[in-house]
Amino acid sequence: MTERHNPTAIEKKWQARWEQDRLHEAKDFDPKPKWYFLTMYPYPSGDLHIGHWYAMAPSDAAARYRRMQGYNVVFPIGFDAFGLPAENAAIQHGIHPYKWTTDNINRMRTQLRSMGAMWDWSREIVTCDPEYYRWNQWFFLRMYERGLAYRKLAPVDWCPKDNTTLAREQVVGEERVCERCGTPVIKKNLEQWFLKITAYAEELLDFSGIAWPDRVRVLQENWIGKSVGVEFAMEVKDHPGVSFRVFTTRPDTVYGMTFAVLAPEHPLVDQLVTPDRRREVEAYKFKAARASDIERLSTEKDRDGVFIGAFAVNPMSGEPMPIYIADYVLLTYGTGAIMGVPAHDARDFEFAKKYQLPIPVVIAPPGWDGTPLREAYLGEGTMVNSGAFSGLPSVEGWERIADAMAARGIGERKINYRLHDWLISRQRYWGTPIPIIYCTHCGTVPVRDNELPVVLPLDAEFRPTGESPLKFHEGFRRTTCPNCGRGAERETDTMDTFIDSSWYQYRYVSPHEERHPFEAKRGTYWLPVDQYTGGVEHAVMHLLYTRFWTKVMRDMGMVPFGEPMLRLFNQGVILGEDGEKMSKSRGNVVNPDDYVQNAGADTVRGYLMFIGPWDGGGPWNSRGIEGISRFLQRVWNLVTETTGTREHGNTGTRKDPAASDTRSRVPAIPGSRDLEHWTHKTIKKVTEDLEGFHFNTAISSLMEYVNFLYGIRDEQVGSAQWGEAMRSLVLLLAPMMPHVAEELWEQMGEPYSVHLQRWPSYTEGLANAEVVTLVLQVDGKVRDRVQAAAGLPESEARTIALANERVKKFMDGRQVADVIVVPGRLVNVVTK
């Protein structure tokens, strides 16, 4: 009896051997072509859940595949270690964020190693380590010098009871209350730091030269939101010298303006509101201040507003129109003011109907008979009711009105972007301190490079309110001005944690470099990242920020390219067994450690890759994983019973299947040609599947191959073709199930390590079928199977079917009504 596959013993054995031999440490400057493979690093929440495995195990398989193709592959790992959960743990449980984080990292390191992935642990980074975040501060100072980092007033979510800012996830429910105390949250303006990502808005719309999913490209394009239009001034009636500016993409509709809307936060509101309207306006402003931008812009929200008692003047018609405030206008987008053209904008149409405002048509739809519109007309047409521009096609009118505004000095063509500058200030402790000092004599003063890093104090005291302890830590806050030496104060805000992940791929190149963020020579060898994997949920934050960061680095002369990752693949989401997103509250979270202990890491890896297309995700099935376990046992039995050094002797010096002509070396054995075909066909299919991240069909092909091999084993064992088939099987298995492949490779007497071998190649002629099995049916029921030449003409397939004795028997003398041929697969004889 063959010894059963024992994953626990095998996996521990090889993980220890690989670590001892430093098998996965990538060598800088290796003459082989490099391949930088990166998957998004985890947040140290404390436990590696099945979602981590679903993202990481297939990524590892793809990295191993590249290595076997002859690339010098680096596959680094680290921890995205700053963030709010650690600070909440400090407040709720009295555990310092540093201890909470490092304890979790230590636990997750063990779990990550159990996966058997080819992580290069020598390059590990931990973003809460001062050795790392020192360079966050260095980059901030360089951006400050270039005018890309600046400070201005900006609204934050504020709890008036706890007197503190709140993160987005701390504002809960439709009523938007504080997570801790239930107090209604308001908006409050604070001085905060921004990075000027808008300076790169146009360039961020260019995706040429990178192979990223269309979905990510579209999400980023929509987030950036480029609009081409005209910005013009509108004077306020009876307020000499007072005006505001609006931006429109439809200057051809300006004569249809019947009202104007300011954002509730617009600075002119308090100046223009009349006494009789002030109470209603203030109440509306308070309500708007409690809503998030997403809620205010929601298309499902009822459009409402409040008249402030003042009127603006249409600059083209001279007509006065009421000024409203409405929360669907944001101060942070465009100018914070819009013109209301209800006949040609759906949102304005709804607003005008509600407040009984005029809806004049100025772009006549084709065939319009002059009757009132039932809904806003958004298309092109002929301009009407537009003064001297009436009668023009609206496309031409767009240009003519833009020219007229420019000639009169009241407007100009402009490109607007929905993209805002990146607000990086966080009123939190557990993040990178912003390296700025405030001096009453010198103003805002950057910390000098030789004083970096500005280190978080470890003796911070956390308050139940959630206020940042840095505000109250005298040892941190009090300092001296680098310029004048007088007493000064440090900035107590910390940086958004997306700063850490915006450039972490560069630090992996030389994680302990002390003079620069990374060593330039090593960067020239490894960068940019060749393949990146991770979730699409990061499309408009992390993936946009890292592109911005790289472009800044390019302009600083640090790298010669403008895109951080050449290729991107987004995996799907692994769901609970109930088909719902995994969560503790639903009780459907899958703990991978239990399955690794019982079935082995290779089985868990294999099941996650077999579950369905990697980019599609799917539900976990505790019964389905048993199928992968049985498959690995079948592979184990097949290889150990028919090859190896113990019972069958060494299988011989390995040769690539594509380079060997076994027919000239050994006597022909019945079925050997078919075996060669199956071997080369399977190599081709698995190769193509791994190139496209189609792990599920790669494993399916290996299952079919194993089934075929079992069917011919008795007649083929001992032949050169069989030995080559076994070697190819194990090599094809190696990227996806690395432990069992390594063990079988050793038992076959092959040289260590299977992961250092070249990926098998195939011959196209042998991979393509020479013969196929035709299924013969009579009236849809299978009556026989016959071998036929591949590419057989349909006429010959018909002849074979009609001449077949079993087909004739089951036709039972009935006449033929039709013969349906599916080329290369089946022939169905339909009788009358």
Side-chain angles (χ1 to χ4, degrees):
M1 287 287 292
T2 303
E3 182 182 344
R4 283 189 62 81
H5 171 223
N6 184 346
T8 302
I10 288 170
E11 289 170 4
K12 288 181 179 178
K13 166 187 170 181
W14 289 113
Q15 287 169 14
R17 174 75 184 273
W18 294 335
E19 187 166 358
Q20 173 189 317
D21 297 342
R22 301 167 70 179
L23 186 70
H24 301 143
E25 291 186 16
K27 296 179 176 60
D28 298 325
F29 314 117
D30 192 287
K32 295 193 293 288
K34 68 92 179 179
W35 191 266
Y36 188 166
F37 200 116
L38 184 63
T39 192
M40 294 179 185
Y41 61 179
Y43 178 77
S45 57
D47 282 298
L48 203 68
H49 55 71
I50 204 68
H52 290 117
W53 276 71
Y54 190 66
M56 293 174 173
S59 296
D60 174 63
R64 288 181 178 278
Y65 164 68
R66 289 293 175 198
R67 185 179 190 179
M68 294 176 73
Q69 283 190 310
Y71 287 94
N72 181 29
V73 177
V74 64
F75 189 50
I77 187 66
F79 294 93
D80 188 12
F82 276 136
L84 192 59
E87 199 158 337
N88 285 340
I91 296 168
Q92 296 166 11
H93 307 297
I95 304 171
H96 194 280
Y98 183 80
K99 176 174 172 51
W100 185 87
T101 301
T102 53
D103 286 350
N104 288 351
I105 287 173
N106 289 332
R107 185 160 55 253
M108 291 178 71
R109 283 190 184 118
T110 301
Q111 293 175 310
L112 283 166
R113 283 184 163 91
S114 76
M115 192 183 296
M118 57 174 283
W119 309 121
D120 185 345
W121 286 100
S122 70
R123 299 174 186 269
E124 182 193 55
I125 58 173
V126 178
T127 61
C128 68
D129 190 324
E131 182 185 40
Y132 183 87
Y133 70 72
R134 164 193 180 184
W135 298 107
N136 287 350
Q137 296 170 342
W138 184 89
F139 274 117
F140 175 90
L141 294 174
R142 301 293 81 78
M143 293 189 191
Y144 182 76
E145 292 166 358
R146 300 174 73 87
L148 295 174
Y150 65 94
R151 193 171 183 239
K152 72 170 185 178
L153 280 172
V156 296
D157 285 320
W158 182 266
C159 175
K161 179 180 178 183
D162 289 341
N163 198 37
T164 186
T165 57
L166 300 175
R168 280 168 293 188
E169 54 266 48
Q170 293 176 304
V171 180
V172 297
E174 292 185 3
E175 297 300 315
R176 301 192 79 247
V177 299
C178 174
E179 179 186 49
R180 293 196 184 96
C181 66
T183 302
V185 171
I186 63 171
K187 293 285 185 180
K188 183 175 181 179
N189 283 333
L190 293 180
E191 289 278 355
Q192 300 189 79
W193 286 95
F194 290 79
L195 297 184
K196 200 171 184 179
I197 190 174
T198 54
Y200 290 84
E202 188 64 32
E203 193 177 352
L204 288 167
L205 290 169
D206 181 5
F207 290 83
S208 60
I210 56 175
W212 282 32
D214 286 342
R215 184 181 176 190
V216 173
R217 177 184 57 78
V218 170
L219 285 168
Q220 290 198 3
E221 287 175 346
N222 291 341
W223 189 262
I224 294 167
K226 180 179 180 179
S227 300
V228 179
V230 173
E231 183 176 303
F232 61 92
M234 294 185 65
E235 294 182 352
V236 180
K237 184 181 179 183
D238 299 328
H239 288 74
V242 177
S243 65
F244 56 90
R245 299 183 71 81
V246 300
F247 172 84
T248 179
T249 60
R250 294 294 305 271
D252 51 322
T253 66
V254 69
Y255 281 87
M257 185 185 348
T258 59
F259 62 96
V261 183
L262 301 178
E265 305 85 4
H266 197 290
L268 281 181
V269 173
D270 288 341
Q271 179 181 343
L272 299 179
V273 63
T274 56
D276 61 314
R277 308 297 302 165
R278 186 170 296 279
R279 176 176 293 182
E280 190 175 357
V281 166
E282 290 299 324
Y284 189 90
K285 286 171 62 178
F286 180 80
K287 184 187 78 166
R290 296 197 56 235
S292 70
D293 288 357
I294 293 174
E295 290 168 331
R296 289 171 60 171
L297 293 174
S298 171
T299 56
E300 298 177 1
K301 179 185 179 298
D302 182 37
R303 303 295 179 199
D304 63 357
V306 172
F307 174 50
I308 69 171
F311 292 83
V313 178
N314 186 323
M316 297 303 291
S317 68
E319 294 291 324
M321 60 201 62
I323 301 174
Y324 284 75
I325 58 170
D327 60 3
Y328 66 84
V329 181
L330 303 179
L331 186 62
T332 53
Y333 178 61
T335 64
I338 65 165
M339 67 174 194
V341 184
H344 306 291
D345 181 277
R347 181 179 57 185
D348 295 346
F349 186 89
E350 178 187 338
F351 193 89
K353 281 283 190 182
K354 181 168 186 172
Y355 294 106
Q356 299 180 339
L357 297 168
I359 307 177
V361 175
V362 292
I363 306 294
W368 180 58
D369 60 4
T371 58
L373 297 178
R374 295 184 177 180
E375 61 182 9
Y377 175 67
L378 310 181
E380 299 172 0
T382 302
M383 295 182 67
V384 295
N385 302 319
S386 299
F389 302 95
S390 295
L392 291 175
S394 57
V395 174
E396 181 181 346
W398 196 108
E399 301 292 344
R400 294 275 294 274
I401 289 180
D403 290 341
M405 286 183 168
R408 290 172 51 186
I410 59 172
E412 64 278 332
R413 288 175 171 83
K414 191 173 181 180
I415 295 175
N416 256 10
Y417 299 94
R418 184 176 293 109
L419 178 69
H420 302 160
D421 281 338
W422 178 7
L423 193 162
I424 66 164
S425 285
R426 297 292 181 269
Q427 293 74 41
R428 291 279 164 275
Y429 165 80
W430 195 233
T432 300
I434 295 175
I436 290 292
I437 292 171
Y438 301 109
C439 174
T440 55
H441 296 273
C442 304
T444 300
V445 182
V447 174
R448 293 173 179 170
D449 285 2
N450 61 6
E451 295 177 350
L452 298 179
V454 176
V455 179
L456 287 170
L458 293 180
D459 58 346
E461 295 183 8
F462 293 87
R463 301 184 173 212
T465 61
E467 293 173 277
S468 172
L470 296 180
K471 290 167 55 178
F472 308 100
H473 194 289
E474 292 296 306
F476 177 83
R477 192 163 61 92
R478 303 292 182 187
T479 186
T480 56
C481 174
N483 290 346
C484 68
R486 293 184 174 94
E489 292 194 10
R490 291 192 187 279
E491 171 65 74
T492 57
D493 283 358
T494 54
M495 298 185 194
D496 180 6
T497 56
F498 278 113
I499 294 284
D500 307 326
S501 58
S502 293
W503 71 280
Y504 76 123
Q505 66 270 25
Y506 299 101
R507 189 63 178 171
Y508 280 134
V509 167
S510 48
H512 305 296
E513 167 65 35
E514 296 181 352
R515 296 171 297 171
H516 306 282
F518 62 93
E519 200 270 311
K521 189 175 180 182
R522 287 178 171 81
T524 299
Y525 176 78
W526 284 115
L527 298 169
V529 172
D530 294 284
Q531 179 68 60
Y532 198 36
T533 59
V536 75
E537 66 271 16
H538 298 291
V540 295
M541 299 191 79
H542 161 57
L543 289 172
L544 189 65
Y545 295 152
T546 191
R547 294 183 65 217
F548 157 67
W549 206 277
T550 293
K551 295 176 193 307
V552 174
M553 290 173 64
R554 176 205 59 201
D555 292 349
M556 290 168 58
M558 297 182 68
V559 294
F561 48 82
E563 294 289 353
M565 297 96 178
L566 299 179
R567 301 166 189 83
L568 172 67
F569 189 92
N570 298 127
Q571 81 275 354
V573 177
I574 184 76
L575 303 173
E577 202 145 5
D578 56 1
E580 299 291 337
K581 187 175 180 180
M582 290 188 191
S583 70
K584 291 181 180 178
S585 61
R586 288 195 180 99
N588 63 352
V589 175
V590 175
N591 180 3
D593 293 355
D594 297 338
Y595 287 94
V596 171
Q597 185 174 356
N598 296 324
D602 283 343
T603 298
V604 177
R605 290 168 60 107
Y607 177 65
L608 288 171
M609 285 183 252
F610 186 63
I611 203 170
W614 193 34
D615 58 353
W620 176 269
N621 186 324
S622 55
R623 294 181 300 278
I625 195 172
E626 296 171 4
I628 294 295
S629 184
R630 289 193 297 270
F631 165 67
L632 286 178
Q633 185 63 54
R634 295 191 79 217
V635 171
W636 177 271
N637 293 344
L638 184 68
V639 175
T640 57
E641 291 173 2
T642 64
T643 65
T645 58
R646 294 169 183 164
E647 296 180 30
H648 300 277
N650 196 313
T651 54
T653 303
R654 182 181 182 274
K655 294 186 179 181
D656 191 295
S660 62
D661 185 354
T662 55
R663 290 165 293 166
S664 65
R665 295 188 287 105
V666 297
I669 298 176
S672 62
R673 182 68 172 173
D674 210 16
L675 174 54
E676 286 184 304
H677 159 62
W678 266 88
T679 298
H680 285 252
K681 178 182 77 168
T682 305
I683 294 171
K684 178 182 179 182
K685 182 67 168 64
V686 173
T687 301
E688 292 172 347
D689 284 341
L690 293 188
E691 284 288 337
F693 299 99
H694 304 308
F695 303 102
N696 59 321
T697 50
I699 293 175
S700 179
S701 296
L702 289 173
M703 290 177 170
E704 292 176 5
Y705 187 41
V706 169
N707 288 340
F708 168 78
L709 292 171
Y710 265 99
I712 65 166
R713 60 182 288 183
D714 293 341
E715 61 200 54
Q716 289 293 324
V717 168
S719 71
Q721 291 93 338
W722 184 263
E724 203 56 67
M726 293 297 98
R727 283 186 286 268
S728 296
L729 173 61
V730 174
L731 289 168
L732 295 175
L733 197 67
M736 293 172 282
M737 290 87 155
H739 306 91
V740 68
E742 189 76 276
E743 179 69 19
L744 290 172
W745 193 251
E746 181 188 60
Q747 293 206 21
M748 290 166 64
E750 299 291 349
Y752 175 79
S753 157
V754 68
H755 303 293
L756 297 178
Q757 309 306 310
R758 286 304 296 261
W759 186 253
S761 58
Y762 59 88
T763 299
E764 195 70 48
L766 286 171
N768 295 329
E770 295 180 347
V771 294
V772 295
T773 299
L774 276 182
V775 176
L776 305 183
Q777 298 178 338
V778 176
D779 295 328
K781 295 183 178 180
V782 177
R783 298 308 185 189
D784 203 359
R785 290 179 174 84
V786 297
Q787 298 293 305
L792 184 74
E794 288 189 24
S795 59
E796 294 186 26
R798 290 166 55 96
T799 301
I800 289 173
L802 294 173
N804 183 270
E805 291 299 324
R806 289 182 61 78
V807 169
K808 288 193 286 186
K809 173 185 174 182
F810 285 99
M811 287 175 61
D812 194 25
R814 297 188 300 274
Q815 291 185 341
V816 176
D818 195 7
V819 178
I820 301 170
V821 179
V822 179
R825 294 181 60 189
L826 67 85
V827 182
N828 182 24
V829 179
V830 182
T831 63
K832 293 183 179 178

